[in-house]
Amino acid sequence: MNQLASTVKPEQDFKEKTTKLIDSLKAICANFGLGNDGNEFKIITQLFLYKFLNDKFAAEAKKQFPDVTNAKEWEAKIDSLSDAEFEKMTMRMNPNTATLKPIHFISTLYQLQNTENFAQRFDDTLADIAAINQDVFAVKTDGGAKIVLFDRLSEYIADPTKRDEFCKAAINKLIDFSFEHIFEQKFDFYAMIFEYLIKDYNSNSGGKYAEYFTPHAVARIMAEILVPKSVRGEIRNATCYDPSAGSGTLLMNVAHAIGEDRCTIFTQDISQKSSNLLRLNLILNNLVHSIPNVIQGNTLLHPFHRDGNTWKQFDYIVSNPPFKLDFSDIHKSLEAKAYQTRFFAGVPKVPKSKKDSMAIYQLFLQHIIVSLKPTGKAAIVVPTGFITAQSGIDRSIREHLVNNKILAGVVSMPSNIFATTGTNVSILFIDASNKSDVVLIDASNLGEKVKEGKNQKTVLSDDEEQQIINAFNQKTAIEDFSVVVSYEEIAAKNYSLSAGQYFDVKIEYVDITPEEFQQKMQTFTQNLDDLFSQSHELEAEIKKQLAGLRYE
């Protein structure tokens, strides 16, 4: 118990220090007029990333000079290496480590902070780090351009006379903090830090392409069902894909379940901001090897990941596709013949009103189905209306899943599981190897309602999450919660994937005497007579009021 406490406390202390660092960087932005500015998230995330990469390099370098403990001594040791010796040293480092030279160290900038044109030196340092590491750390666009690690951050300060002071303030915050003793922490630890880091920049208030942060409960349920504990450790060289990846919450959970060193991630997302956040998430979670597969671009119009002339297929696909995104400007292109093989159920019409604007998810869903290997598995968040719609593309997709026997099941989630949208959602699970029974779960009655800002959110307990996972993975039928049905039964029910339509209808019988029956009937009759009487009185009053109306 004492050993556990001694482990937990340093971890908790470090989390508190990390959140304090993030808050202090936000305070610097506010003090220089960048609070709530559109570029604030770039400054915060890139300063945080610079610090992380600096300390990661330092930790790896110190391993190679175990006899040197003083910071200045090991930095001097590195500085004295020849180019060949330096290259040999970096090759021995963990491959997740960015290459830095002594002139790039935070400690070097700290010592030079009072020199002339410090802001330019600061920006040049970040630009040099980005250039040296672009082959591994650069995100690509679907047109082939590279989005490098760092911008020239001081240039976001409108007043040039304040740029030196801004960079000095940042360096003085970074120098007093160190990641070096925490790099062995795993996914759960960094998930908390990452969510705190981006919480102000990853909401539905950010404009047209802002993403909705996928709740951890949804991400965990997806990962636990796609990668059950019984198969973990057996999976090798898995490919994991998300065509609308956002900042990567779903992929991080799946990669963690498989093992970060046992899988490679592939993504695409239209948002440059989200792609940059995803890159940071990959760096934090030892998935640097997947960064070259992060693509910023329009998945529907320009799907980047391909095998020759066709779409690349993957072992695992997860997605929380956009429900409400205008695609009128690309609709004609999507309807073009070149795209028809991908959208087998058709391209939806452009919705006439915002109320009907959820059709775009149908395109992502079809893209996912054709991007899945014959042995692959997928989990996709869909609006709950998808599972029962009796016409159109929704129905055609469900028929395809059932008739081709590639459906694993559906979990209908509680309302408001997403605090930022009122849309009821379900999780659709596809398994190309599942040729037998399908699991349908109605979890809509689970969870506790809590307030999150101005919104109401439903939060599942750990036990409720496990209840869903166990019922699905064990294919267990539970009264008024889960059913296990055949493909033939689903077809007979008009391809409905709603668990409630398969629950047994129960009629409870109660023994009563003839006298009790007569008494109940008299009560019902009396109540009905009272209602009729009230209705007649209302009719008379309405007619009286109408008769009193006069035209003037």
Side-chain angles (χ1 to χ4, degrees):
M1 188 70 165
N2 289 336
Q3 184 178 2
L4 177 62
S6 65
T7 303
V8 171
K9 184 145 192 339
E11 180 180 312
Q12 184 59 37
D13 287 346
F14 186 79
K15 285 181 179 179
E16 291 174 1
K17 289 178 181 177
T18 306
T19 56
K20 185 177 179 181
L21 170 67
I22 295 166
D23 290 341
S24 67
L25 294 177
K26 290 181 180 179
I28 291 172
C29 287
N31 292 336
F32 283 85
L34 292 170
N36 298 318
D37 183 88
N39 295 310
E40 183 189 18
F41 92 94
K42 295 181 182 179
I43 295 171
I44 301 300
T45 55
Q46 290 184 32
L47 287 174
F48 185 90
L49 178 58
Y50 173 38
K51 178 61 179 173
F52 188 88
L53 295 179
N54 179 93
D55 290 1
K56 181 77 170 177
F57 182 89
E60 289 294 316
K62 287 177 182 179
K63 290 179 183 178
Q64 301 190 40
F65 305 112
D67 56 324
V68 180
T69 57
N70 183 279
K72 289 184 178 180
E73 289 180 9
W74 73 260
E75 289 176 9
K77 187 90 171 177
I78 293 173
D79 203 18
S80 67
L81 298 176
S82 66
D83 289 346
E85 291 171 329
F86 181 83
E87 183 177 358
K88 187 176 180 180
M89 179 193 74
T90 57
M91 290 179 66
R92 290 197 298 264
M93 290 183 173
N94 184 301
N96 290 322
T97 309
T99 298
L100 276 70
K101 296 179 179 178
I103 59 171
H104 301 141
F105 295 160
I106 288 173
S107 59
T108 301
L109 287 179
Y110 177 77
Q111 293 167 11
L112 297 171
Q113 63 179 294
N114 293 317
T115 57
E116 189 176 0
N117 296 324
F118 178 66
Q120 182 175 335
R121 183 186 295 274
F122 183 93
D123 289 339
D124 288 347
T125 297
L126 296 186
D128 200 30
I129 295 171
I132 291 173
N133 293 280
Q134 71 169 351
D135 288 344
V136 176
F137 286 86
V139 169
K140 293 194 293 284
T141 69
D142 54 17
K146 290 187 176 182
I147 304 172
V148 296
L149 272 172
F150 299 115
D151 299 316
R152 298 187 72 83
L153 297 183
S154 78
E155 294 182 4
Y156 292 124
I157 304 296
D159 185 348
T161 65
K162 295 181 179 179
R163 290 175 181 172
D164 283 357
E165 290 302 315
F166 171 78
C167 294
K168 287 167 65 174
I171 281 295
N172 279 287
K173 291 297 181 184
L174 298 180
I175 195 71
D176 292 330
F177 178 88
S178 177
F179 280 108
E180 288 187 45
H181 302 294
I182 213 73
F183 288 116
E184 301 308 314
Q185 290 289 342
K186 298 298 182 182
F187 164 75
D188 294 333
F189 175 81
Y190 286 114
M192 170 268 169
I193 291 177
F194 181 75
E195 184 173 357
Y196 189 84
L197 178 66
I198 70 171
K199 67 184 179 70
D200 293 332
Y201 316 117
N202 195 49
S203 67
N204 65 334
S205 60
K208 182 176 180 182
Y209 297 120
E211 60 164 329
Y212 297 97
F213 193 89
T214 306
H216 287 300
V218 173
R220 283 190 294 263
I221 289 168
M222 282 185 171
E224 292 279 350
I225 290 175
L226 288 178
V227 191
K229 288 184 172 63
S230 59
V231 303
R232 295 184 185 182
E234 301 174 9
I235 301 171
R236 298 282 192 283
N237 301 318
T239 53
C240 305
Y241 176 53
D242 189 338
S244 55
S247 58
T249 302
L250 295 177
L251 283 167
M252 294 306 106
N253 278 267
V254 171
H256 179 58
I258 294 171
E260 289 83 358
D261 58 342
R262 298 169 180 265
C263 65
T264 303
I265 283 173
F266 295 80
T267 75
Q268 192 161 345
D269 195 286
I270 198 168
S271 167
Q272 182 173 314
K273 180 181 80 169
S274 294
S275 298
N276 283 329
L277 292 176
L278 172 58
R279 169 170 55 189
L280 174 58
N281 214 355
L282 292 172
I283 292 170
L284 291 178
N285 287 287
N286 288 320
L287 285 158
V288 169
H289 62 277
S290 293
I291 291 177
N293 305 321
V294 175
I295 304 301
Q296 184 260 309
N298 190 318
T299 306
L300 299 179
L301 201 58
H302 303 294
F304 183 87
H305 300 293
R306 305 175 71 88
D307 281 332
N309 295 322
T310 188
W311 333 114
K312 184 175 178 64
Q313 293 188 312
F314 302 92
D315 297 301
Y316 296 93
I317 303 178
V318 287
S319 184
N320 175 19
F323 291 176
K324 299 178 181 179
L325 189 61
D326 180 15
F327 61 101
S328 58
D329 54 339
I330 62 171
H331 187 263
K332 288 184 179 179
S333 297
L334 293 174
E335 283 192 316
K337 187 175 180 180
Y339 293 92
Q340 292 306 307
T341 54
R342 194 161 42 126
F343 303 126
F344 58 87
V347 175
K349 296 179 181 178
V350 175
K352 294 181 179 179
S353 67
K354 190 172 182 180
K355 176 184 175 183
D356 305 318
S357 63
M358 293 198 295
I360 193 169
Y361 80 88
Q362 297 171 341
L363 296 167
F364 277 96
L365 185 48
Q366 293 176 79
H367 171 77
I368 288 167
I369 291 170
V370 302
S371 299
L372 197 61
K373 283 185 178 180
T375 55
K377 296 182 178 182
I380 310 103
V381 178
V382 296
T384 293
F386 163 82
I387 68 177
T388 55
Q390 283 306 305
S391 62
I393 292 175
D394 285 339
R395 165 81 182 226
S396 297
I397 293 174
R398 296 202 316 274
E399 287 181 2
H400 177 89
L401 296 173
V402 172
N403 294 341
N404 287 281
K405 295 187 175 181
I406 59 173
L407 178 65
V410 170
V411 178
S412 295
M413 300 298 288
S415 60
N416 300 116
I417 196 73
F418 287 77
T420 51
T421 174
T423 305
N424 289 335
V425 303
S426 296
I427 308 174
L428 174 70
F429 290 91
I430 301 172
D431 184 347
S433 66
N434 182 46
K435 304 305 179 185
S436 56
D437 294 329
V438 173
V439 183
L440 304 177
I441 294 177
D442 180 2
S444 60
N445 294 319
L446 299 184
E448 178 185 359
K449 307 290 186 196
V450 299
K451 288 288 286 185
E452 187 172 277
K454 296 180 181 179
N455 302 309
Q456 181 171 271
K457 181 180 181 180
T458 301
V459 178
L460 296 175
S461 68
D462 292 345
D463 289 342
E464 288 172 328
E465 287 182 33
Q466 203 59 51
Q467 180 184 357
I468 294 169
I469 294 163
N470 290 344
F472 200 105
N473 286 344
Q474 297 168 16
K475 292 193 172 184
T476 306
I478 301 172
E479 185 176 320
D480 294 334
F481 179 72
S482 61
V483 291
V484 182
V485 295
S486 67
Y487 284 110
E488 291 72 24
E489 288 177 280
I490 296 174
K493 285 277 190 181
N494 292 318
Y495 295 91
S496 172
L497 303 182
S498 172
Q501 294 194 22
Y502 298 85
F503 291 154
D504 292 332
V505 177
K506 298 182 290 299
I507 302 176
E508 295 185 4
Y509 295 92
V510 180
D511 290 331
I512 59 174
T513 65
E515 291 77 13
E516 290 173 327
F517 175 78
Q518 187 64 34
Q519 182 61 45
K520 285 182 177 293
M521 292 304 296
Q522 287 178 353
T523 301
F524 293 151
T525 302
Q526 182 61 49
N527 289 340
L528 192 58
D529 288 342
D530 291 342
L531 290 173
F532 285 155
S533 176
Q534 293 175 33
S535 175
H536 293 321
E537 291 175 6
L538 287 171
E539 288 178 19
E541 181 63 26
I542 291 169
K543 289 179 180 178
K544 180 180 177 182
Q545 295 293 334
L546 288 174
L549 293 175
R550 294 288 183 271
Y551 176 78
E552 295 181 2

